Amino acid sequence: MTNNNQNTLEKLKEEARSALAECESLASLEEWRINYLGRRGAISTVMGSLGGLDQDSRRTLGKASNDLKILLQDEYDDKVQEVSVSQNAENQVTGIDVTLPGRNPPQGSFHPTTLIVREIAAAFAPMGFRVVEGPEVELDTYNFQKLNIPADHPARDMWNSLWVDYPNDPDLRPFLLRTHTSPMQIRVMEQETPPIRVIVPGKAFRYEATDATHEWQFTQIEGLAIDKGIGFADLKGTLDAFAKSIFGETRKTRFRCDFFPFVEPGAEMSIDCFKCDGEGCRVCSHTGWIEILGAGMVHPEVLRGVGYDPNIYSGFAFGMGAERIAMLRQGIDDIRHFYANDLRFLKQFSQQ
Ligand code: PHE
């Protein structure tokens, strides 16, 4: 009887120990504790059965089961310690620390081109110019012909272009990625009657080798004003006010002759160098002046082409590169930064 009971205890010890060794989590350990050491667990059951034995056996077996209980309790405590330590270590590896403050998700910001386009539009807004946009894939007619650049005109060489083919539909007139935003002059004039005052920001594309000042895709800002009695003084006054608003009240502007087939007379506008105040430095290539845009009085041929009588209506147009203005404003030395998608560059403008 006693031997039997001792065998039972031995078995129980082996079984409890191997079950304990299997426990990998605090939850399974708790389950184990209830099964073996709990009030209705295996050890308690053995102890409860001692009542029917003689005194000697009761004493021996009582002591043996008590020893076993203490032993298992010790081993259980060690195992709890071991499992908690390894769980903590695991949590550290996976980076879960619930006491850490939350992390802010990264915030997007406006692209420097968007920022300068908005700033330029805001400079023209008080003078009554509103913003319109047009198609980036354009008809040859709008990109060239209606701007007084017929098929054989040598000025087309300036705009070596990216053509879009429609091989399956030879009847479609030639399309190209617009080489400038000037076709929108025509589209606006065809749709509206003067007075007209618009700013047209948008992408332009040229078949071009890229370098620090040239990109094959860039952003232009076109301007057009048409009304009765508009003269060259209006062109100068408007663009002078724009230059002062973007580059500072003390800026001087200079207009010199330039050629664009859709204006007559044509001009380029420069500002005196904001870096050296006209003394001559690296920014202005030691000339004291920085060219910022092309402009001119809308050519009578262009006006006639959209059905306006050049004896009644006149106006001026201008076009500038948005990135170029941003480069000058921010001291950016390479236009290729704009579209390299390098966040280290783009982030610098987020606060503006
Ligand atoms: N479209 C011209 C260019 O791309 C710029 C321009 C616009 C010049 C309007 C005069 C008037 O170079």
Side-chain angles (χ1 to χ4, degrees):
M1 186 76 171
T2 309
N3 272 347
N4 253 351
N5 279 321
Q6 261 166 355
N7 278 346
T8 313
L9 274 184
E10 267 315 304
K11 264 204 199 132
L12 181 58
K13 182 172 158 186
E14 262 170 47
E15 186 197 309
R17 282 180 138 176
S18 73
L20 184 64
E22 307 259 298
C23 291
E24 299 285 347
S25 66
L26 293 176
S28 56
L29 278 167
E30 177 60 6
E31 209 177 298
W32 181 93
R33 191 190 63 77
I34 292 165
N35 284 343
Y36 293 98
L37 303 176
R39 259 193 316 124
R40 294 188 193 146
I43 303 257
S44 294
T45 313
V46 172
M47 284 175 157
S49 68
L50 298 179
L53 300 177
D54 63 69
Q55 217 180 356
D56 272 358
S57 310
R58 207 161 61 214
R59 194 175 299 133
T60 343
L61 276 174
K63 188 174 179 322
S65 30
N66 208 36
D67 287 350
L68 178 60
K69 188 173 183 182
I70 291 167
L71 175 87
L72 289 178
Q73 179 73 48
D74 276 355
E75 292 188 358
Y76 164 81
D77 288 345
D78 287 351
K79 184 79 191 214
V80 167
Q81 185 69 16
E82 189 187 305
V83 168
S84 322
V85 166
S86 83
Q87 255 182 17
N88 273 345
E90 232 170 76
N91 287 347
Q92 266 162 26
V93 168
T94 52
I96 302 165
D97 180 348
V98 291
T99 65
L100 279 177
R103 279 178 218 164
N104 285 334
Q107 255 194 325
S109 59
F110 286 113
H111 192 277
T113 306
T114 307
L115 291 169
I116 197 72
V117 165
R118 289 181 172 197
E119 207 179 323
I120 292 169
F124 282 103
M127 296 186 273
F129 288 81
R130 66 179 214 283
V131 173
V132 294
E133 288 179 294
E136 290 169 6
V137 182
E138 222 0 317
L139 292 163
D140 181 284
T141 330
Y142 285 97
N143 196 79
F144 294 126
Q145 291 175 43
K146 292 183 179 213
L147 286 165
N148 206 20
I149 312 171
D152 56 354
H153 198 288
R156 285 193 182 224
D157 295 349
M158 286 202 285
W159 289 289
N160 247 331
S161 316
L162 296 158
W163 295 89
V164 181
D165 266 350
Y166 285 88
N168 300 329
D169 192 347
D171 288 341
L172 271 178
R173 289 166 295 174
F175 281 92
L176 72 160
L177 300 185
R178 68 178 173 195
T179 60
H180 48 181
T181 41
S182 300
M184 274 303 283
Q185 291 183 32
I186 308 296
R187 288 185 179 275
V188 170
M189 286 192 284
E190 281 183 349
Q191 274 162 32
E192 299 181 15
T193 42
I196 291 171
R197 265 175 286 177
V198 290
I199 291 291
V200 190
K203 290 190 183 111
F205 309 82
R206 290 179 192 177
Y207 183 63
E208 186 119 52
T210 59
D211 62 25
T213 52
H214 296 88
E215 256 294 3
W216 70 272
Q217 183 234 293
F218 58 101
T219 310
Q220 270 202 337
I221 299 185
E222 192 83 10
L224 176 71
I226 306 279
D227 204 350
K228 289 175 184 158
I230 291 195
F232 201 83
D234 298 301
L235 178 157
K236 287 178 80 172
T238 305
L239 293 178
D240 188 77
F242 151 73
K244 289 185 162 65
S245 133
I246 296 288
F247 291 104
E249 277 307 310
T250 57
R251 288 283 67 76
K252 294 189 202 98
T253 48
R254 180 184 75 177
F255 293 83
R256 296 198 299 185
C257 282
D258 201 351
F259 173 75
F260 302 96
F262 35 94
V263 287
E264 178 57 33
E268 53 143 69
M269 180 177 89
S270 303
I271 53 173
D272 65 330
C273 181
F274 49 83
K275 194 87 181 179
C276 63
D277 274 328
E279 291 283 305
C281 69
R282 231 173 58 92
V283 172
C284 57
S285 314
H286 304 282
T287 63
W289 295 94
I290 301 171
E291 190 193 327
I292 61 169
L293 55 80
M297 300 306 293
V298 178
H299 200 291
E301 268 310 305
V302 173
L303 292 174
R304 242 177 252 121
V306 296
Y308 291 180
D309 182 347
N311 295 315
I312 299 174
Y313 290 116
S314 59
F316 61 86
F318 54 88
M320 68 186 100
E323 291 85 357
R324 180 168 161 74
I325 306 289
M327 285 166 80
L328 292 168
R329 275 288 308 270
Q330 314 279 7
I332 299 163
D333 59 2
D334 197 317
I335 193 171
R336 290 168 292 193
H337 289 316
F338 282 82
Y339 303 108
N341 212 15
D342 185 339
L343 291 182
R344 290 169 307 175
F345 170 75
L346 297 172
K347 271 185 183 166
Q348 296 176 50
F349 308 95
S350 56
Q351 293 314 314
Q352 299 185 24

mmCIF file of all heavy atoms in Angstrom, residues 159 179-180 182 185 206 220 222 260 262-263 294-296 317-319, ligand 1:
data_model
loop_
_atom_site.group_PDB
_atom_site.id
_atom_site.type_symbol
_atom_site.label_atom_id
_atom_site.label_comp_id
_atom_site.label_asym_id
_atom_site.label_seq_id
_atom_site.Cartn_x
_atom_site.Cartn_y
_atom_site.Cartn_z
ATOM 1 N N TRP A 159 12.144 75.103 -80.656
ATOM 2 C CA TRP A 159 11.266 74.237 -79.874
ATOM 3 C C TRP A 159 11.284 72.832 -80.458
ATOM 4 O O TRP A 159 10.240 72.281 -80.776
ATOM 5 C CB TRP A 159 9.843 74.795 -79.861
ATOM 6 C CG TRP A 159 9.713 76.044 -79.043
ATOM 7 C CD1 TRP A 159 9.771 76.126 -77.695
ATOM 8 C CD2 TRP A 159 9.471 77.374 -79.524
ATOM 9 N NE1 TRP A 159 9.591 77.427 -77.294
ATOM 10 C CE2 TRP A 159 9.404 78.214 -78.388
ATOM 11 C CE3 TRP A 159 9.322 77.931 -80.797
ATOM 12 C CZ2 TRP A 159 9.190 79.585 -78.495
ATOM 13 C CZ3 TRP A 159 9.099 79.299 -80.897
ATOM 14 C CH2 TRP A 159 9.039 80.106 -79.759
ATOM 15 N N THR A 179 5.305 72.881 -76.107
ATOM 16 C CA THR A 179 6.671 73.343 -75.843
ATOM 17 C C THR A 179 6.678 74.609 -75.008
ATOM 18 O O THR A 179 7.721 75.048 -74.540
ATOM 19 C CB THR A 179 7.406 73.628 -77.158
ATOM 20 O OG1 THR A 179 6.679 74.639 -77.858
ATOM 21 C CG2 THR A 179 7.460 72.376 -78.026
ATOM 22 N N HIS A 180 5.503 75.217 -74.882
ATOM 23 C CA HIS A 180 5.345 76.395 -74.023
ATOM 24 C C HIS A 180 3.872 76.525 -73.656
ATOM 25 O O HIS A 180 3.031 75.759 -74.157
ATOM 26 C CB HIS A 180 5.859 77.666 -74.729
ATOM 27 C CG HIS A 180 5.368 77.863 -76.135
ATOM 28 N ND1 HIS A 180 5.733 78.937 -76.922
ATOM 29 C CD2 HIS A 180 4.508 77.131 -76.907
ATOM 30 C CE1 HIS A 180 5.145 78.852 -78.101
ATOM 31 N NE2 HIS A 180 4.402 77.776 -78.115
ATOM 32 N N SER A 182 2.180 79.177 -74.269
ATOM 33 C CA SER A 182 1.585 80.187 -75.160
ATOM 34 C C SER A 182 0.339 79.721 -75.922
ATOM 35 O O SER A 182 -0.525 80.552 -76.213
ATOM 36 C CB SER A 182 2.653 80.695 -76.136
ATOM 37 O OG SER A 182 3.720 81.276 -75.423
ATOM 38 N N GLN A 185 -2.801 81.220 -74.861
ATOM 39 C CA GLN A 185 -3.199 82.570 -75.311
ATOM 40 C C GLN A 185 -4.329 82.430 -76.319
ATOM 41 O O GLN A 185 -5.359 83.096 -76.238
ATOM 42 C CB GLN A 185 -2.031 83.289 -75.991
ATOM 43 C CG GLN A 185 -0.883 83.689 -75.101
ATOM 44 C CD GLN A 185 0.168 84.460 -75.905
ATOM 45 O OE1 GLN A 185 -0.158 85.175 -76.859
ATOM 46 N NE2 GLN A 185 1.425 84.321 -75.533
ATOM 47 N N ARG A 206 10.325 70.023 -73.744
ATOM 48 C CA ARG A 206 11.189 70.259 -74.898
ATOM 49 C C ARG A 206 12.188 69.122 -75.046
ATOM 50 O O ARG A 206 12.674 68.592 -74.040
ATOM 51 C CB ARG A 206 11.946 71.583 -74.741
ATOM 52 C CG ARG A 206 10.996 72.753 -74.874
ATOM 53 C CD ARG A 206 11.670 74.077 -74.710
ATOM 54 N NE ARG A 206 10.634 75.111 -74.580
ATOM 55 C CZ ARG A 206 10.864 76.381 -74.363
ATOM 56 N NH1 ARG A 206 12.097 76.809 -74.249
ATOM 57 N NH2 ARG A 206 9.866 77.220 -74.260
ATOM 58 N N GLN A 220 6.000 76.491 -66.917
ATOM 59 C CA GLN A 220 5.982 77.867 -67.404
ATOM 60 C C GLN A 220 4.813 78.612 -66.790
ATOM 61 O O GLN A 220 3.807 78.009 -66.402
ATOM 62 C CB GLN A 220 5.824 77.887 -68.925
ATOM 63 C CG GLN A 220 7.145 77.855 -69.658
ATOM 64 C CD GLN A 220 7.038 78.387 -71.075
ATOM 65 O OE1 GLN A 220 5.969 78.395 -71.686
ATOM 66 N NE2 GLN A 220 8.147 78.836 -71.608
ATOM 67 N N GLU A 222 2.480 81.664 -68.145
ATOM 68 C CA GLU A 222 2.146 82.559 -69.239
ATOM 69 C C GLU A 222 1.257 83.666 -68.682
ATOM 70 O O GLU A 222 0.527 83.448 -67.713
ATOM 71 C CB GLU A 222 1.337 81.753 -70.276
ATOM 72 C CG GLU A 222 1.155 82.425 -71.598
ATOM 73 C CD GLU A 222 2.370 82.200 -72.485
ATOM 74 O OE1 GLU A 222 3.241 81.383 -72.138
ATOM 75 O OE2 GLU A 222 2.431 82.858 -73.550
ATOM 76 N N PHE A 260 10.116 86.826 -80.625
ATOM 77 C CA PHE A 260 9.188 85.685 -80.553
ATOM 78 C C PHE A 260 8.167 85.938 -81.656
ATOM 79 O O PHE A 260 7.642 87.057 -81.755
ATOM 80 C CB PHE A 260 8.478 85.625 -79.194
ATOM 81 C CG PHE A 260 9.416 85.523 -78.026
ATOM 82 C CD1 PHE A 260 9.797 86.658 -77.327
ATOM 83 C CD2 PHE A 260 9.920 84.291 -77.618
ATOM 84 C CE1 PHE A 260 10.670 86.574 -76.246
ATOM 85 C CE2 PHE A 260 10.793 84.198 -76.541
ATOM 86 C CZ PHE A 260 11.179 85.340 -75.847
ATOM 87 N N PHE A 262 5.157 85.477 -82.112
ATOM 88 C CA PHE A 262 3.774 85.844 -81.789
ATOM 89 C C PHE A 262 3.641 87.194 -81.097
ATOM 90 O O PHE A 262 2.555 87.548 -80.629
ATOM 91 C CB PHE A 262 3.116 84.742 -80.940
ATOM 92 C CG PHE A 262 4.071 84.076 -79.980
ATOM 93 C CD1 PHE A 262 4.183 84.522 -78.672
ATOM 94 C CD2 PHE A 262 4.866 83.006 -80.396
ATOM 95 C CE1 PHE A 262 5.069 83.902 -77.785
ATOM 96 C CE2 PHE A 262 5.762 82.392 -79.520
ATOM 97 C CZ PHE A 262 5.865 82.846 -78.222
ATOM 98 N N VAL A 263 4.755 87.928 -80.975
ATOM 99 C CA VAL A 263 4.669 89.277 -80.394
ATOM 100 C C VAL A 263 5.418 90.270 -81.283
ATOM 101 O O VAL A 263 6.341 89.913 -81.999
ATOM 102 C CB VAL A 263 5.249 89.326 -78.955
ATOM 103 C CG1 VAL A 263 4.325 88.636 -77.975
ATOM 104 C CG2 VAL A 263 6.647 88.745 -78.909
ATOM 105 N N GLY A 294 10.340 86.427 -71.073
ATOM 106 C CA GLY A 294 10.130 86.944 -72.415
ATOM 107 C C GLY A 294 8.734 87.549 -72.480
ATOM 108 O O GLY A 294 7.815 87.082 -71.807
ATOM 109 N N ALA A 295 8.584 88.595 -73.294
ATOM 110 C CA ALA A 295 7.287 89.281 -73.337
ATOM 111 C C ALA A 295 7.140 90.038 -74.655
ATOM 112 O O ALA A 295 8.046 90.027 -75.501
ATOM 113 C CB ALA A 295 7.174 90.250 -72.165
ATOM 114 N N GLY A 296 6.013 90.690 -74.826
ATOM 115 C CA GLY A 296 5.832 91.514 -76.019
ATOM 116 C C GLY A 296 4.368 91.848 -76.225
ATOM 117 O O GLY A 296 3.487 91.346 -75.524
ATOM 118 N N ALA A 317 1.655 89.926 -73.853
ATOM 119 C CA ALA A 317 1.787 88.562 -73.327
ATOM 120 C C ALA A 317 3.193 88.415 -72.760
ATOM 121 O O ALA A 317 4.111 89.153 -73.145
ATOM 122 C CB ALA A 317 1.556 87.541 -74.432
ATOM 123 N N PHE A 318 3.345 87.483 -71.859
ATOM 124 C CA PHE A 318 4.673 87.194 -71.314
ATOM 125 C C PHE A 318 4.740 85.737 -70.889
ATOM 126 O O PHE A 318 3.716 85.074 -70.713
ATOM 127 C CB PHE A 318 5.017 88.117 -70.131
ATOM 128 C CG PHE A 318 3.983 88.102 -69.030
ATOM 129 C CD1 PHE A 318 4.050 87.178 -67.998
ATOM 130 C CD2 PHE A 318 2.944 89.033 -69.034
ATOM 131 C CE1 PHE A 318 3.104 87.174 -66.983
ATOM 132 C CE2 PHE A 318 1.976 89.028 -68.030
ATOM 133 C CZ PHE A 318 2.054 88.097 -67.003
ATOM 134 N N GLY A 319 5.958 85.246 -70.795
ATOM 135 C CA GLY A 319 6.135 83.855 -70.373
ATOM 136 C C GLY A 319 7.421 83.723 -69.578
ATOM 137 O O GLY A 319 8.437 84.325 -69.933
HETATM 138 N N1 PHE B 1 6.549 81.173 -75.086
HETATM 139 C C1 PHE B 1 7.824 81.818 -75.003
HETATM 140 C C2 PHE B 1 8.887 80.764 -74.667
HETATM 141 O O1 PHE B 1 8.572 79.662 -74.345
HETATM 142 C C3 PHE B 1 7.837 82.903 -73.965
HETATM 143 C C4 PHE B 1 6.952 84.065 -74.311
HETATM 144 C C5 PHE B 1 5.623 84.062 -73.931
HETATM 145 C C6 PHE B 1 7.435 85.151 -75.000
HETATM 146 C C7 PHE B 1 4.794 85.147 -74.248
HETATM 147 C C8 PHE B 1 6.637 86.237 -75.312
HETATM 148 C C9 PHE B 1 5.325 86.215 -74.934
HETATM 149 O O2 PHE B 1 10.056 81.040 -74.745
#
